[in-house]
Amino acid sequence: MIAKINQLLQEVEALKAANAEELEALRIKYLSKKGAINELMTDFRNVAADQKKEVGMRLNELKNKAQEKIAALKEQFESQDSDCEDIDLTRSAYPIPLGTRHPLSIVKNEIIDIFGRLGFSIAEGPEIEDDWHVFSALNFPEDHPARDMQDTFFIESHPDILLRTHTSSVQSRVMEVSQPPIRIICPGRVYRNEAISYRAHCFFHQVEALYVDKNVSFTDLKQVLLLFAKEMFGADTKIRLRPSYFPFTEPSAEMDISCNICGGKGCPFCKHTGWVEILGCGMVDPNVLESNGIDSKVYSGYALGMGIERITNLKYQVKDLRMFSENDTRFLKEFEAAY
Ligand code: DAH
């Protein structure tokens, strides 16, 4: 009997199956009720009492080995099956699926296009900036809270180097190397030390606009804002300006547009006020012109800045900011038709 067990053990160890049917045949041959191992179990009754212990152990070993081997072969087929699941070998290679433009890029391009038609050209600056271009040159007082570690990402080893918190930094980059007329639009990514949630992120996108020339007035600013709002949100859109404060503009204002979701009647999105805030703006503070080498007695200017996520939310009602950076293609594909 021991010889028979050893022979079966060798057989079991060498088992191979090319497909699930072959594997089932092996299972029947060795492990079914009428299989070879059960047959030995039946014969076990006739084994002499003094050999029972050893033969019993060997038989159990054989049974376990056989079960393990069959299970291992089965697993191999199953994992092969799941690997194949996604592959359709008959599928045509064409058309090749194309990516879609990101919603933030669609809206950014729309903003650039509107300002482009008004004569603004694109200017860009670095995302890793220094204190001067982000704060000092823009008239931020030494103790302004935006300079706080809690709002700004500083490079630890070098407190003068930081991730820009707004694209207004590009204003000073451009003014320090050029003289008016300056008419620029600056799109880009900005960073703030915020806890990530559905309505805040540690990075987002802004567009800054700056116009400096002789005799630029608040009226020019208002007219450009109205035109922008109508182009972006539709001809019926109304705007209103509320007095505000920014270190780099004086006077400063925030602009609301009539809520484009309810048409100004009031809805949960506009908190039933009929208005939603979309940007900050103002006349460039003479200190800023002077800090950047422009004569404030000869020139004046206006500036404005807006968040691209905010404008995109208004246009497409994206409820969770995090979706913009999760790269979920189901979300991104929704904007396929938008450009
Ligand atoms: N930099 C401001 C911010 O990040 C936005 C802003 C407000 C830009 C007023 C401007 C401006 O140019 O005039 O919140």
Side-chain angles (χ1 to χ4, degrees):
M1 186 135 178
I2 293 275
K4 180 82 185 155
I5 292 173
N6 283 342
Q7 185 207 329
L8 283 178
L9 259 175
Q10 273 179 8
E11 274 182 43
V12 161
E13 233 139 70
L15 285 185
K16 279 196 179 78
N19 52 45
E21 287 83 54
E22 277 186 36
L23 180 64
E24 179 59 7
L26 291 176
R27 190 193 64 79
I28 291 168
K29 183 172 172 195
Y30 292 98
L31 287 172
S32 68
K33 258 195 178 150
K34 292 190 177 142
I37 294 174
N38 236 3
E39 237 168 58
L40 285 181
M41 295 279 186
T42 318
D43 293 348
F44 183 67
R45 266 184 253 138
N46 310 324
V47 173
D50 60 340
Q51 285 178 22
K52 269 213 155 101
K53 189 173 170 200
E54 202 206 329
V55 174
M57 271 165 53
R58 302 285 289 163
L59 245 180
N60 269 338
E61 188 190 340
L62 171 64
K63 193 174 171 186
N64 289 340
K65 278 258 160 72
Q67 280 170 343
E68 275 167 23
K69 184 77 188 185
I70 300 273
L73 288 171
K74 193 170 170 208
E75 199 167 287
Q76 203 181 322
F77 285 132
E78 276 169 1
S79 64
Q80 274 174 7
D81 276 359
S82 64
D83 281 353
C84 292
E85 236 165 42
D86 296 342
I87 303 171
D88 176 2
L89 296 175
T90 63
R91 213 172 101 176
S92 155
Y94 301 98
I96 296 167
L98 290 178
T100 55
R101 220 180 275 287
H102 193 281
L104 294 177
S105 300
I106 297 172
V107 171
K108 177 185 77 178
N109 290 343
E110 228 178 310
I111 299 170
I112 291 172
D113 183 60
I114 296 168
F115 279 91
R117 280 184 265 138
L118 294 169
F120 287 75
S121 51
I122 297 175
E124 285 179 316
E127 289 176 20
I128 302 173
E129 260 293 7
D130 50 35
D131 179 279
W132 170 256
H133 292 96
V134 176
F135 297 128
S136 299
L138 296 174
N139 202 33
F140 277 77
E142 262 322 306
D143 54 356
H144 193 282
R147 291 173 181 248
D148 198 304
M149 294 282 277
Q150 272 168 5
D151 296 306
T152 306
F153 288 115
F154 288 91
I155 308 299
E156 219 168 347
S157 57
H158 203 313
D160 190 41
I161 307 292
L162 47 99
L163 296 178
R164 68 178 178 195
T165 55
H166 55 180
T167 43
S168 305
S169 56
V170 186
Q171 284 190 26
S172 49
R173 286 265 164 205
V174 171
M175 284 193 275
E176 71 187 0
V177 294
S178 35
Q179 283 297 309
I182 294 170
R183 206 188 310 226
I184 50 157
I185 174 143
C186 327
R189 182 173 285 181
V190 300
Y191 302 82
R192 285 186 202 174
N193 196 357
E194 301 256 10
I196 296 171
S197 73
Y198 73 98
R199 59 198 196 103
H201 212 296
C202 58
F203 69 81
F204 55 100
H205 302 81
Q206 288 187 331
V207 173
E208 181 84 13
L210 172 72
Y211 178 37
V212 186
D213 204 347
K214 286 183 179 144
N215 300 320
V216 177
S217 72
F218 203 93
T219 317
D220 300 318
L221 170 61
K222 248 175 113 172
Q223 213 47 45
V224 163
L225 291 173
L226 181 63
L227 185 122
F228 169 73
K230 285 177 180 287
E231 290 290 304
M232 196 72 197
F233 296 103
D236 297 338
T237 311
K238 294 184 183 59
I239 64 167
R240 76 174 183 191
L241 294 172
R242 282 178 291 102
S244 185
Y245 172 77
F246 299 101
F248 34 90
T249 42
E250 183 57 39
S252 304
E254 275 169 319
M255 181 174 98
D256 299 340
I257 58 164
S258 48
C259 177
N260 75 319
I261 291 164
C262 62
K265 286 191 211 73
C267 69
F269 191 85
C270 59
K271 300 197 184 84
H272 304 282
T273 61
W275 297 95
V276 281
E277 186 208 318
I278 65 162
L279 55 78
C281 59
M283 299 307 291
V284 181
D285 193 301
N287 286 343
V288 173
L289 295 175
E290 294 294 336
S291 293
N292 291 290
I294 290 175
D295 188 344
S296 64
K297 287 185 202 70
V298 182
Y299 297 107
S300 56
Y302 64 72
L304 59 103
M306 67 187 104
I308 304 181
E309 277 81 350
R310 174 105 186 118
I311 307 282
T312 311
N313 280 352
L314 262 172
K315 279 202 88 145
Y316 299 109
Q317 282 113 63
V318 179
K319 298 226 165 56
D320 189 335
L321 260 183
R322 291 169 292 197
M323 301 195 75
F324 289 126
S325 48
E326 276 169 354
N327 284 339
D328 184 334
T329 49
R330 290 168 303 178
F331 168 70
L332 298 174
K333 268 199 181 300
E334 288 185 34
F335 299 89
E336 221 164 11
Y339 69 97

